[in-house]
Amino acid sequence: MAAVMNPGAATDALLVAKEVSRRFGGLKAVDGVSLTLERGSLHAVIGTNGAGKSTLINLLSGEIPPSEGRVLLMGQDATGWSQPRRARAGLGRSYQRNTIFVNFTVRENCRLAAQSRWQRAWDWWTPAQRCASSQAAAEEALRKAGLTAQAGRIAGALSHGQKRQLEIAMCLATAPKVLLLDEPLAGMGAEETERMLALLGELKSEHAILLVEHDMDAVFRVADRITVMVNGRVIASDTPAAVRSNREVQIAYLGESH
Ligand SMILES: Nc1ncnc2c1ncn2[C@@H]1O[C@H](COP(=O)(O)OP(=O)(O)O)[C@@H](O)[C@H]1O
Ligand SMILES: [Mg+2]
């Protein structure tokens, strides 16, 4: 029954990157990277500054086109799709920099994010319905992100950790199946980090998650799979235990202490 209603249910591979590369002039920022994001799995991408992690996210989200390679979204070749088209197909992302409107309330930020999903030619004449759908999506996203109690506050007044939670909520408001998260723990205190890790653990059951993160303790706690990038290339992609004991990874990135 479920298979009839959802033809994509046969596979949990929601996003597949095949040998994607991106050049900036003479620099190959991303060099032949392949990875698969599956529903129910949190896939971390780690690497030093400049390794190509954010560029990889930009290639997957459609912000910039790849120089080579292909991106499959829900089994369809999405390589030529724009970022909005990928978003409508279920690809959500957060940014390394803050993207919230600080003078709007938490709820308004979420509603704006939800509305971006409904910018389609065929429903411009149903603003009331669009509004109700966006409102419902925003409230649900706020609930999932643990921000319902903050919904009426001006976003600029939130703590740093709450702002990052709001970014996740804004991402969830677009009803994504795949989440691409670029350093959501950056600048967070211990308590905020715990809250975010718990949230990621909950979201994982319904989404495929790609997490770019510098906090190695956090990464090794939450990741089901870890891909290690050095100079645009993947040097390892495996379970956390296998990555931790990988000699090349230890030398290139983790250091002897890990
Ligand atoms: N738009 C761009 N134009 C030129 N070079 C870029 C651009 N974006 C990123 N780079 C370069 O690509 C490399 C990878 O950057 P980035 O993906 O941001 O790394 P990371 O997120 O792993 O720190 C860096 O050397 C960076 O300077
Ligand atoms: Mg980055």
Side-chain angles (χ1 to χ4, degrees):
M1 183 66 181
V4 174
M5 289 167 67
N6 177 11
T11 171
D12 280 340
L14 302 185
L15 184 147
V16 179
K18 291 188 174 176
E19 295 285 320
V20 292
S21 296
R22 173 68 197 203
R23 284 192 198 83
F24 293 115
L27 173 78
K28 218 165 184 185
V30 171
D31 190 356
V33 172
S34 296
L35 55 79
T36 299
L37 303 182
E38 296 177 347
R39 194 198 328 265
S41 176
L42 193 148
H43 191 135
V45 174
I46 64 174
T48 48
N49 269 332
K53 307 179 298 294
S54 292
T55 303
L56 176 64
I57 286 191
N58 289 336
L59 293 174
L60 301 180
S61 69
E63 220 109 340
I64 55 172
S67 310
E68 292 154 42
R70 312 218 69 78
V71 176
L72 306 183
L73 194 51
M74 323 298 164
Q76 284 187 285
D77 191 333
T79 313
W81 294 6
S82 65
Q83 188 266 327
R85 184 167 176 198
R86 291 186 206 195
R88 288 196 296 272
L91 190 58
R93 72 164 296 180
S94 76
Y95 292 84
Q96 205 171 346
R97 59 188 186 277
N98 254 309
T99 51
I100 60 179
F101 295 102
V102 291
N103 295 323
F104 288 13
T105 66
V106 168
R107 177 178 284 117
E108 284 163 348
N109 268 283
C110 259
R111 282 188 58 175
L112 284 170
Q115 270 165 21
S116 67
R117 188 163 185 261
W118 300 102
Q119 282 166 2
R120 301 180 193 187
W122 48 260
D123 72 349
W124 61 268
W125 63 86
T126 58
Q129 186 191 350
R130 194 170 64 208
C131 191
S133 306
S134 298
Q135 193 165 350
E139 296 303 332
E140 175 67 4
L142 287 169
R143 190 189 62 73
K144 280 187 184 163
L147 281 175
T148 302
Q150 315 294 334
R153 291 180 69 192
I154 295 295
L158 296 179
S159 72
H160 176 78
Q162 288 170 329
K163 283 179 185 152
R164 307 306 301 221
Q165 271 174 274
L166 174 55
E167 290 188 327
I168 305 271
M170 288 165 68
C171 187
L172 292 174
T174 65
K177 297 183 178 69
V178 180
L179 298 173
L180 309 177
L181 307 176
D182 201 351
E183 300 193 24
L185 304 176
M188 280 192 174
E191 205 176 304
E192 292 176 331
T193 297
E194 287 308 315
R195 189 185 300 236
M196 182 62 83
L197 291 181
L199 173 59
L200 295 182
E202 285 166 26
L203 293 176
K204 184 171 92 168
S205 61
E206 286 179 36
H207 303 84
I209 303 180
L210 183 148
L211 172 71
V212 167
E213 187 48 54
H214 276 298
D215 181 338
M216 283 307 108
D217 291 334
V219 163
F220 278 92
R221 270 176 58 194
V222 299
D224 299 293
R225 199 168 180 86
I226 300 177
T227 290
V228 186
M229 289 179 72
V230 173
N231 295 330
R233 299 185 64 87
V234 171
I235 64 163
S237 188
D238 218 321
T239 61
V243 164
R244 199 192 288 272
S245 59
N246 181 304
R247 194 77 194 131
E248 197 184 349
V249 173
Q250 288 172 357
I251 292 166
Y253 186 56
L254 291 177
E256 299 296 326
S257 62
H258 281 78

